[in-house]
Each structure stands twice: as C-alpha cells, then as structure tokens.
Amino acid sequence: MTNTHAILGLMLGSGYGTLPEAWRAPGVNPDNYADIEANIRYAQTAERGGFSFLFVPDFPGVRGDVEHTGVPSVMEPITALTAIAQATSRIGLVATGPTTFPEPFNTARQLKALDAIGHGRAGWNAVTTSDPTVAANYGQGVADRSERYQRAHETIQIVQALWGSWEQDAWVKDAATGQYLDPAKLRPVNLQGQYVASRGPLPIPPSEQGQPVVFSAGGPSPHMLELAGRYASGFIAEVLDHRGGACPARDGARGGPGGGARS
Ligand SMILES: Cc1cc2nc3c(=O)[nH]c(=O)nc-3n(C[C@H](O)[C@H](O)[C@H](O)COP(=O)(O)O)c2cc1C
C-alpha cells in the first residue's frame, strides 16, 4: 500500500526570510544573521507546529549582490544547529555539508557530535558542491563532475563507516570495575579511496538513533540520482520550471559515477 504520510521540513537560512532584501523588511531585525536567537525561535515554532525536521543549506562563501541582498545561509550549519539542539527536544536537525572539499573525518566527527548532543536528531545533507567561490575558499579549483562524484562516493562511505566504528555497547562506563570503554568494540575503518581516506575509529559513541540520517540535494544528473539512490534516505529536489524542465547541469563534464572507497 502506498504511504501518503507527509513529512514537513523547515528550511532555516540567514534569519531574515528567503526574499532577497528580507533583512530590511518592517519588523525584521537586521542583526538576525549573527544572532542565533531568531533561528531558535523559528525552530521552536516549527517543533510546536509538528514539523519533522529543520534543513540548513550551506554556502561557505560570499557571492552575489551582498551590498544589498545580504547572505542566504546561516553563518555555519553545525554551530547553528548545536545551539538549536539545546533549545529544542524533538525536531530533526539536518545540516548541509559538502562532499567536495572537507576531509571525511571532519564531516563524520562534526555530524556525529551533533547527533550525540541532539540525542539522535541529526541528519547530513551531502552535497557535491561545484561553486568556484567555495572551491577558492578551500584553496582549490572546481574538479570535473566525475572526480567530484567519485570523491562524494568515497566520502559518504568513509563517513558512514566512521559513524559505525563504535558498537552499540562499546561505552561501558562502569565506575565499579573501572572500565570506561571496551576497546574490542571500537573498529578502525581503514578505508583508502582515490581521493580520501581514514583509519578511524571516531572518538564519539553511537547516539540514540545510532548514526545521522543521510540526505542529498542536487540537480537531476545521472550522477546525482545514483548517489542519492545509493545512500540518501531523504532528497531535497529542485523546483521544475513552467515547461517541466530542470536547471541545466553547471559543467559539461561526463564520466561514470564513482565506485567508492575500499578497504
Ligand atoms: C535543491 C538544491 C539544493 C542544493 N543545496 C545546496 C547547498 O545547500 N549547498 C551546496 O553547496 N550545494 C547545494 N546544491 C548543489 C548540489 O549539491 C550540486 O552541486 C549541484 O546540483 C550540481 O550537481 P551536478 O554536478 O550533478 O550538476 C543544491 C542543489 C539543489 C538542486
């Protein structure tokens, strides 16, 4: 039987609203971008209203008409959601994080810590960022699509392996016997890909949900559909235009999706 149950998510951005000059609208505090209190209020309202998750997009850079329109994203997703986690109790916390630039160990560590702090409410929106402004902030150029997706497959596999590197009962915490951890229940991941690698384990215990939920967001390229189909439990899709078309791919590169990291 088809399940028609809707799951509502609220996108959180700069704290002003999604219209380009919302920061100067009547009643909007222009300080909201650097003041987490506004997004905390929106998160608490969404939680009271029955929304299932908060979705925080990310653009780690400065672009567009910043002189007038301001910035579209939160200052930093994990930091913002950690503060929001402390002021909410049930709503899911989905942070966007690129697979293109950071080391998978950093991504795994930040998301798993958010999951532990939020008592099992974190999600990771894994995006194959291809913006030259962001690439330049990481001291890099934009790799072609086949390389970005190969790195994405390897990164997601390593991140998920690191998240699973503690068995559920590894954290013993038995003051009477003096045993804090059971080292036999910590598993190094020893994954080596073409672009990224990690030994593990991660120094963070499983959360109440085990590990964060993987989301993805992107255009309808075969590469993205394969990536999302393989790993994502949720997908943030783009809106089609009036002709039913989607935005064209932003680079002309071709090449098969990656096969991922291997032991
Ligand atoms: C609905 C939607 C939301 C996206 N959100 C983000 C985001 O928050 N941060 C980001 O770096 N990229 C974001 N992207 C970009 C995608 O991750 C990806 O880089 C882009 O779709 C190009 O993919 P392609 O190489 O398969 O064409 C988003 C794309 C779409 C369609």
Side-chain angles (χ1 to χ4, degrees):
M1 198 171 82
T2 307
N3 183 353
T4 56
H5 183 70
I7 295 175
L8 294 176
L10 176 73
M11 190 188 91
L12 287 185
S14 52
Y16 304 125
T18 51
L19 293 175
E21 294 193 42
W23 65 270
R24 58 197 283 258
V28 172
N29 184 347
D31 291 334
N32 279 359
Y33 176 57
D35 182 356
I36 193 64
E37 292 304 326
N39 268 332
I40 286 178
R41 281 197 309 278
Y42 306 150
Q44 290 172 331
T45 305
E47 186 170 78
R48 273 199 310 277
F51 280 66
S52 296
F53 67 95
L54 303 167
F55 163 61
V56 175
D58 190 30
F59 185 81
V62 174
R63 70 171 171 187
D65 178 17
V66 283
E67 186 179 357
H68 300 107
T69 63
V71 290
S73 312
V74 298
M75 288 189 291
E76 200 287 310
I78 301 285
T79 313
L81 284 173
T82 304
I84 290 169
Q86 295 302 93
T88 55
S89 60
R90 295 188 317 278
I91 198 161
L93 312 161
V94 181
T96 296
T99 54
T100 315
F101 306 108
E103 289 298 319
F105 186 83
N106 290 346
T107 302
R109 187 179 186 206
Q110 288 182 308
L111 267 295
K112 193 73 187 297
L114 175 65
D115 205 30
I117 289 167
H119 298 284
R121 291 187 283 147
W124 174 32
N125 177 36
V127 291
T128 55
T129 306
S130 57
D131 191 290
T133 310
V134 178
N137 283 346
Y138 285 93
Q140 299 176 25
V142 179
D144 68 22
R145 187 184 272 140
S146 61
E147 179 178 327
R148 273 189 296 115
Y149 276 86
Q150 174 68 27
R151 194 183 199 279
H153 279 264
E154 294 176 8
T155 297
I156 297 173
Q157 288 178 26
I158 292 172
V159 165
Q160 290 191 305
L162 287 165
W163 286 343
S165 61
W166 287 42
E167 288 182 26
Q168 200 64 37
D169 54 352
W171 194 17
V172 179
K173 295 174 286 181
D174 188 334
T177 64
Q179 186 177 26
Y180 186 72
L181 267 176
D182 181 350
K185 293 183 175 171
L186 298 195
R187 288 188 298 256
V189 300
N190 288 322
L191 284 170
Q192 175 68 56
Q194 188 178 344
Y195 298 104
V196 283
S198 183
R199 188 186 65 180
L202 204 63
I204 304 176
S207 71
E208 283 88 332
Q209 70 168 343
Q211 53 179 260
V213 177
V214 174
F215 284 65
S216 197
S221 71
H223 303 67
M224 173 48 83
L225 295 179
E226 149 113 24
L227 190 83
R230 230 192 244 196
Y231 308 105
S233 298
F235 189 70
I236 315 291
E238 63 190 341
V239 177
L240 301 179
D241 67 21
H242 66 283
R243 296 178 303 273
C247 294
R250 278 169 230 168
D251 67 53
R254 288 286 177 270
R262 62 186 185 282
S263 293

